[in-house]
């Protein structure tokens, strides 16, 4: 079938995969629109946008042309002492799109590293202001911020990797999302208790993704932002998953800003930044954060610099992706997807073994109860011609925004069918 598959597989190490027992991965030969073509000629409709990146679908001609043009003139050049137009334009455009004075952009190549940079910014911000004791970070249950050591320490302690690497990670402070009055008092108390040792609070605004598609409202987010201001803490909004329209606004933190005019101090972006084509991430700081690094002292500078920082191909792809947000009705498409997900996944609530159905923007999640055979569910979805990959307790859809209504119906019908089959066996 594919002469590269068997010999290659004996040398590949796959992510989050028990290599002894996991079913063989599917060989992919092409992607187009919302479809993934396999080596045997089958096509799968992608329900999860390649880990939430491919918001315009695959092989969008506008992004491809931008990358090809960039490839011919300047694919990459080191970013220390040198700058280039794709990065300069992109920084300017991100600053214009983000709320308030979020205006200084530091480029990296992955989401985890963007969060690491945000943590460095937060800790060094206080150090530069003469408060070097402010070093610890508050994170939330069900949160996910990456797989590197500093970011693992900010992921949900049970769903994340805390037990595997206990003792090897920094010890940070977990909070519950303050969604009611009692929890709000507890949150305030926590911030007071740790007081002068805290540097920042980090949150995935409105939707906690990899920790299980948990959702909270804008009032909760606004409360957290206000609490950070009261306790003199920086607020880091990890919009790596929520950014670029996924929750219905360009950025999820806009919803809290509309309620109470609160803007995070630092925002992390990645995933859909290049429309799912090339790896790129950005950590964007407000003016007062950037200004804390300005001094007649080299030691006050931000000490970070990835080799492939601000890769020109990736920046060109991201600029082309932003063009598409301007020229095509992406947020209207997200609103239509939201309505369709609510209507077509809603009936899953009545199935045995379903705990809850949650929808926000172009995210639809069905949380399961009882025994969950992830490999069997995943295999069944592929048999039905859809690429849906449940994890933990959730079966979820996060389709490309360009998906046609019929294709989305194929996805939601597959979810209902697979969960109906499962309900019969419970
Ligand atoms: C995916 C993700 C990350 C990590 O990004 P990588 O590019 O995989 O390192 C961090 N935060 C959130 C919210 C994410 O969804």
């Amino acid at each position: 079938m594919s002469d590269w598959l068997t010999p290659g597989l004996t040398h590949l190490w796959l992510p989050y995969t028990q290599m002894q027992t996991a079913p063989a991965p599917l060989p992919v030969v092409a992607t187009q629109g919302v479809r993934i073509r396999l080596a045997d000629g089958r096509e799968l409709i992608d329900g999860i946008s390649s880990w939430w990146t491919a918001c315009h679908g695959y092989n969008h001609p506008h992004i491809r042309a931008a990358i090809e043009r960039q490839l011919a003139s300047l694919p990459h050049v080191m970013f220390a002492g040198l700058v280039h137009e794709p990065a300069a334009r992109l920084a300017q455009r991100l600053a214009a799109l983000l709320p308030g004075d979020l205006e200084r952009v530091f480029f990296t190549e992955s989401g985890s590293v963007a969060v690491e940079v945000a943590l460095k910014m937060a800790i060094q911000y206080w150090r530069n202001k003469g408060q070097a004791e402010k070093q610890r970070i508050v994170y939330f249950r069900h949160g996910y911020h990456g797989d590197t050591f500093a970011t693992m320490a900010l992921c949900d302690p049970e769903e994340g990797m805390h037990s595997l690497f206990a003792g090897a990670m920094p010890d940070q402070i977990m909070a519950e999302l303050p969604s009611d009055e009692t929890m709000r008092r507890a949150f305030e108390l926590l911030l007071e208790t740790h007081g002068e040792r805290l540097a920042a609070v980090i949150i995935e605004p409105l939707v906690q993704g990899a920790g299980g598609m948990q959702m909270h409202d804008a009032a909760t987010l606004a409360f957290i932002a206000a609490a950070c201001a009261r306790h003199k803490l920086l607020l880091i909004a990890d919009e790596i998953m929520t950014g670029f329209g996924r929750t219905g606004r360009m950025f999820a933190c806009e919803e809290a800003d509309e309620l109470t005019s609160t803007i995070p101090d630092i925002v992390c972006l990645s995933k859909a930044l290049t429309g799912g084509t090339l790896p790129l991430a950005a950590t964007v700081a407000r003016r007062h954060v950037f200004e804390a690094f300005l001094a007649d002292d080299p030691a006050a500078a931000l000490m970070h610099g990835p080799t492939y920082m601000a890769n020109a191909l990736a920046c060109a792809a991201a600029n082309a992706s932003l063009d598409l947000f301007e020229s095509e009705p992406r947020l209207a498409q997200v609103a239509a997807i939201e309505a369709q997900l609510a209507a077509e996944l809603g009936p899953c609530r009545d199935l045995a073994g379903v705990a809850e159905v949650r929808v926000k923007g172009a995210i639809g999640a069905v949380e399961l109860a009882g025994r969950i055979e992830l490999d069997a569910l995943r295999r069944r979805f592929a048999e039905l011609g859809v690429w849906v990959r449940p994890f933990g307790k959730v079966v979820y859809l996060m389709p490309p925004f360009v998906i046609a209504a019929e294709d989305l119906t194929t996805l939601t019908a597959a979810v209902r069918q697979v969960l109906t089959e499962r309900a019969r066996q419970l």
Side-chain angles (χ1 to χ4, degrees), residues 177 179 203-208 214-218 220-221 224:
L177 268 168
S179 48
I203 186 166
E204 297 161 87
L206 302 188
V207 184
Q208 296 175 295
Q214 303 282 341
M215 301 178 184
H216 57 270
D217 59 14
T220 301
L221 182 56
I224 292 166

Side-chain angles (χ1 to χ4, degrees), residues 189-222:
L189 191 63
L190 181 107
L191 298 187
E192 237 161 71
T193 309
H194 292 277
E196 285 308 299
R197 298 171 61 219
L198 298 182
V201 173
I202 186 165
I203 186 166
E204 297 161 87
L206 302 188
V207 184
Q208 296 175 295
M213 302 297 163
Q214 303 282 341
M215 301 178 184
H216 57 270
D217 59 14
T220 301
L221 182 56

Side-chain angles (χ1 to χ4, degrees), residues 82-328:
L82 302 170
V83 292
H84 49 72
E85 182 181 354
R89 269 193 201 289
L90 181 58
Q92 201 181 336
R93 293 174 80 177
L94 291 174
L97 280 171
L98 283 158
D101 60 353
L102 281 157
E103 61 179 29
R104 271 298 159 165
V105 184
F106 191 96
F107 288 113
T108 53
E109 350 72 328
S110 82
S112 300
V113 175
V115 174
E116 295 258 353
V117 169
L119 299 179
K120 276 193 177 179
M121 280 179 184
I123 292 167
Q124 203 179 344
Y125 170 89
W126 292 114
R127 184 183 184 82
N128 286 351
K129 285 178 172 288
Q131 290 187 266
E133 72 286 359
K134 288 173 78 65
Q135 292 197 341
R136 297 183 81 199
I137 312 294
V138 174
Y139 65 98
F140 293 98
R141 187 184 296 285
H142 300 302
Y144 176 83
H145 300 286
D147 285 352
T148 57
F149 274 87
T151 60
M152 272 196 302
L154 305 171
C155 295
D156 185 282
E158 273 130 55
E159 290 150 24
M161 294 174 271
H162 287 223
S163 56
L164 276 178
F165 295 101
M169 294 183 309
D171 186 21
Q172 306 292 15
I173 296 149
M174 192 195 73
E176 305 290 338
L177 268 168
S179 48
D180 62 28
E181 267 315 308
T182 314
M183 293 169 97
R184 285 178 183 187
R185 276 195 298 276
F187 185 67
E188 292 272 2
L189 191 63
L190 181 107
L191 298 187
E192 237 161 71
T193 309
H194 292 277
E196 285 308 299
R197 298 171 61 219
L198 298 182
V201 173
I202 186 165
I203 186 166
E204 297 161 87
L206 302 188
V207 184
Q208 296 175 295
M213 302 297 163
Q214 303 282 341
M215 301 178 184
H216 57 270
D217 59 14
T220 301
L221 182 56
F223 170 79
I224 292 166
C228 284
R230 277 195 294 281
H231 293 267
K232 297 213 163 20
L233 300 175
L234 296 183
L235 178 62
I236 303 171
D238 178 350
E239 294 242 17
I240 289 168
M241 184 278 274
T242 53
F244 304 103
R246 185 54 70 178
T247 67
R249 315 285 162 106
M250 198 60 178
F251 302 102
C253 62
E254 288 171 29
E255 275 196 44
D257 189 30
E258 281 157 26
L259 278 184
T260 52
S261 301
T262 45
I263 294 160
D265 299 289
I266 302 172
V267 169
C268 302
L269 303 171
S270 187
K271 294 221 161 82
L273 174 57
T274 62
T277 55
L278 286 159
L280 185 68
T283 308
V284 188
R286 290 183 62 179
R287 188 176 307 152
H288 77 98
V289 174
F290 177 73
E291 283 174 353
F293 290 75
L294 303 179
D296 190 8
D297 173 10
L302 179 64
M303 295 308 283
H304 202 88
T307 306
Y308 277 97
M309 178 168 183
N311 175 260
L313 283 177
C315 289
N319 277 312
S321 174
L322 294 184
D323 293 343
L324 294 174
F325 276 98
E326 285 170 14
S327 63
E328 298 189 16

